[in-house]
Amino acid sequence: MVLVGTTHAGNIGGCARAMATMGLESMVLAGVVADPHSDEAIARASGCEDILVKASRHRNLDCALAECNRAYAFTGRRRGLSLPPTDLRSAAAQMAEDRAGGARIALVFGPEKTGLNNKDLDRCDCLVSIPVARPGKSLNLAAAVQVAGYELFLAGGGALAPKRRSRPTKAQIADLI
């Protein structure tokens, strides 16, 4: 899970807890403003502080995605996008297939107030939306991470451990160009 520009420490902690319940352990923080080691983050992690301790920090999304093979950007936007968003359930099936093939995938979530900007969306391979009942509304960051983790868990048949096969990372592909 890649969190971009997160401004509230409690949301980082809530994301750690959501990830842990779905067997996800790799948190990546890109351009994050909030402190993942603050008392609020630790309290909201509720026993899942190990994810906060192991979280890697990067100055921007490009650096955060360098070792990934495929990136899925979560967005509620409906206009001005380079690709149409895919619904989460459909995307989760592709994510599970990617993981089963040994790919390192990134699920990318933007800042709480604005979501990912178009520049960051363009850095990702697939745009994903989580359908909501009220148009124009979106989920809390930790709730979105929870729902995405759950769908990935289901799509993977309840097992999230990927089979390992070597595939080129985004950084390796960029070196070829």
Side-chain angles (χ1 to χ4, degrees):
M1 297 291 178
V2 179
L3 308 182
V4 179
T6 308
T7 59
H8 300 290
N11 282 336
I12 296 173
C15 288
R17 182 177 182 182
M19 289 171 57
T21 62
M22 293 296 115
L24 300 167
E25 297 179 353
S26 179
M27 178 183 280
V28 178
L29 306 173
V32 167
V33 176
D35 179 7
H37 302 116
S38 72
D39 290 342
E40 184 180 7
I42 291 167
R44 292 276 313 277
S46 190
C48 304
E49 298 85 6
D50 58 315
I51 292 174
L52 299 176
V53 170
K54 294 186 297 186
S56 63
R57 293 187 84 155
H58 302 275
R59 68 177 183 278
N60 59 41
L61 184 56
D62 285 334
C63 294
L65 296 178
E67 297 302 315
C68 294
N69 305 107
R70 192 158 167 84
Y72 293 85
F74 283 73
T75 183
R77 292 186 186 188
R78 297 289 179 246
R79 56 190 163 96
L81 300 174
S82 58
L83 301 169
T86 303
D87 71 278
L88 174 56
R89 184 141 304 161
S90 300
Q94 181 62 52
M95 290 177 207
E97 186 177 312
D98 288 346
R99 286 176 56 90
R104 275 189 67 131
I105 65 168
L107 282 64
V108 183
F109 297 85
E112 296 92 330
K113 290 187 180 190
T114 61
L116 293 165
N117 62 39
N118 286 352
K119 182 179 166 187
D120 288 338
L121 291 170
D122 286 342
R123 286 174 167 64
C124 297
D125 304 294
C126 182
L127 305 182
V128 181
S129 66
I130 299 173
V132 294
R134 292 181 67 189
K137 298 297 178 188
S138 62
L139 297 174
N140 166 276
L141 178 58
V145 166
Q146 179 75 57
V147 171
Y150 175 72
E151 288 292 338
L152 182 56
F153 182 78
L154 290 181
L160 289 175
K163 296 174 187 168
R164 296 287 175 205
R165 280 193 239 162
S166 179
R167 294 181 65 173
T169 63
K170 288 186 175 290
Q172 291 167 330
I173 291 169
D175 286 344
L176 295 174
I177 299 174

